[in-house]
């Protein structure tokens, strides 16, 4: 089955902008929060944004399947659909709920192999729209993107996130975070996985890692990194599971091995220079 990827990108782009405008408007008003877990929030606005995007995708692509973070599956049945959309209607809900203007809308289209074909990540606060189409490069507001050329971890600015079960699950990224703090120039935590990845694609961060996230968090951003010349893998340096978000390392390529070494070896990994 063939699909015009650039036409599909235009639909996703329009929906991401409309959803982004909805988020910005809602940020001006008190937010109604409920809990999916002890520290895993969802707001009415997450659901409204998802309804807008999923409704638009169903109308434009009735034979595609759609996976939305809040609503589960929609559109054609997953098994019979050649194409699957992954929608995060508000990536950075904790920030949004606190009125912190760092969040995004992330929409990706994958083929039957669940590998992304196109992705859009829209940051309404800065009016920055990151787009990628497989084999056609990545752009920010229409300008081509390229990853950074930092080759030494000690000069690198990194970014990560932490799983929502971190209070109870010891596999919570905290030890790895500390190991990187002692080896990199900076380690940030922005609160939007999709933006983290796009910032790697744009050369703002040099690498990102996270564990136990979901395909809607990472699929669009990972394609942006790949198309901007970066490298993506799981913690063993392989592609397995990376688009599903089980383990994600995305870098400019030059520091990828150093990233894997710290993730796998923790505090036993070499430290830079002398203090
Ligand atoms: C979360 C954000 C956060 C990441 C979490 C995600 P949500 O998505 O991307 O940066 O650390 O793992 O679940 O819940 O705000 O859509
Ligand atoms: Ca998310
Ligand atoms: Ca979300």
């Amino acid at each position: 089955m063939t699909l015009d990827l650039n036409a599909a990108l235009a639909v996703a782009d329009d929906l991401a902008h409309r959803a982004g405008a909805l988020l910005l408007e809602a940020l001006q008003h008190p937010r109604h929060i409920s809990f999916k877990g002890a520290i895993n929030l969802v707001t009415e606005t997450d659901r409204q944004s998802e309804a807008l995007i999923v409704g638009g995708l169903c109308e434009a692509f009735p034979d595609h399947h759609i996976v939305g973070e809040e609503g589960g599956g929609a559109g054609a049945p997953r098994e019979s659909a050649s194409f699957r959309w992954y929608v995060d209607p508000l990536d950075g809900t904790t920030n949004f709920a606190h009125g912190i203007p760092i969040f995004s809308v992330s929409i990706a289209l994958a083929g039957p192999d669940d590998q992304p074909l196109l992705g859009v990540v829209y940051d309404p606060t800065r009016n920055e729209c990151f787009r990628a189409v497989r084999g056609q490069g990545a752009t920010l507001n229409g300008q081509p993107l390229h990853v950074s050329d930092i080759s030494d971890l000690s000069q690198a600015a990194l970014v990560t996130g932490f799983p929502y079960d971190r209070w109870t699950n010891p596999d919570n990224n905290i030890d790895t975070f500390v190991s990187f703090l002692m080896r990199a120039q900076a380690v940030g935590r922005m609160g939007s996985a999709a933006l983290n990845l796009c910032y790697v694609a744009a050369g703002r961060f040099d690498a990102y890692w996270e564990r136990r996230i979901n395909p809607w968090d990472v699929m669009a951003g990972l394609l942006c990194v790949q198309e901007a010349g970066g490298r993506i893998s799981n913690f063993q340096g392989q592609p397995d599971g990376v688009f599903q978000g089980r383990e994600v390392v995305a870098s400019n390529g030059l520091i990828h091995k150093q990233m894997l070494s710290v993730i796998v070896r923790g505090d036993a990994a070499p430290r830079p220079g002398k203090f």
Side-chain angles (χ1 to χ4, degrees):
M1 185 169 282
T2 57
L3 177 73
D4 179 342
L5 289 183
N6 287 298
L9 181 71
V11 172
D13 185 272
D14 174 58
L15 290 169
H17 277 80
R18 285 163 53 197
L22 184 153
L23 301 184
L24 267 194
E25 212 283 318
L27 195 64
Q28 310 308 315
H29 306 288
R31 290 162 292 281
H32 304 284
I33 298 164
S34 47
F35 289 83
K36 297 193 274 189
I39 53 170
N40 189 357
L41 315 182
V42 60
T43 70
E44 261 179 12
T45 313
D46 294 66
R47 298 198 178 97
Q48 288 162 355
S49 174
E50 182 159 315
L52 186 160
I53 298 165
V54 171
L57 291 175
C58 282
E59 201 180 316
F61 307 104
D63 55 346
H64 292 189
H65 182 68
I66 299 148
V67 183
E69 177 178 7
E70 308 305 338
R78 185 182 181 93
E79 308 71 45
S80 63
S82 301
F83 296 101
R84 292 173 195 152
W85 292 89
Y86 288 91
V87 176
D88 192 333
L90 197 184
D91 187 47
T93 295
T94 307
N95 284 346
F96 179 84
H98 287 264
I100 300 166
I102 303 174
F103 49 81
S104 61
V105 177
S106 178
I107 304 176
L109 173 67
D113 56 359
D114 256 349
Q115 310 277 307
L117 298 166
L118 66 84
V120 177
V121 176
Y122 181 53
D123 171 354
T125 301
R126 289 162 199 76
N127 191 26
E128 289 192 329
C129 190
F130 301 86
R131 302 179 184 91
V133 176
R134 184 164 294 285
Q136 294 183 25
T139 57
L140 165 54
N141 292 348
Q143 297 304 309
L145 285 181
H146 205 276
V147 293
S148 72
D149 60 3
I150 296 286
S151 59
D152 189 330
L153 187 62
S154 68
Q155 305 301 307
L158 312 179
V159 66
T160 190
F162 298 87
Y164 285 123
D165 64 356
R166 65 183 174 272
W167 285 3
T168 51
N169 187 340
D171 181 28
N172 55 17
N173 199 30
I174 291 171
D175 290 350
T176 313
F177 182 74
V178 173
S179 298
F180 275 119
L181 273 180
M182 300 307 288
R183 289 162 178 80
Q185 193 177 84
V187 189
R189 195 273 170 104
M190 291 223 300
S192 165
L195 281 183
N196 292 343
L197 285 161
C198 290
Y199 279 30
V200 173
R204 295 173 179 174
F205 286 119
D206 306 298
Y208 159 78
W209 85 96
E210 192 162 351
R211 65 193 85 204
R212 292 203 308 286
I213 44 178
N214 292 292
W216 49 78
D217 295 308
V218 294
M219 206 165 289
L222 284 170
L223 184 62
C224 288
V225 173
Q226 279 189 312
E227 290 296 320
R231 179 174 166 196
I232 66 172
S233 77
N234 62 19
F235 292 171
Q236 277 67 52
Q238 307 301 321
D240 310 5
V242 68
F243 292 119
Q244 277 59 52
R246 287 195 284 277
E247 295 176 352
V248 178
V249 188
S251 78
N252 64 4
L254 302 172
I255 61 165
H256 207 86
K257 277 191 185 155
Q258 295 166 69
M259 293 294 298
L260 295 176
S261 163
V262 176
I263 290 168
V264 171
R265 299 175 64 190
D267 222 36
R271 280 197 191 185
K274 294 193 179 89
F275 291 97

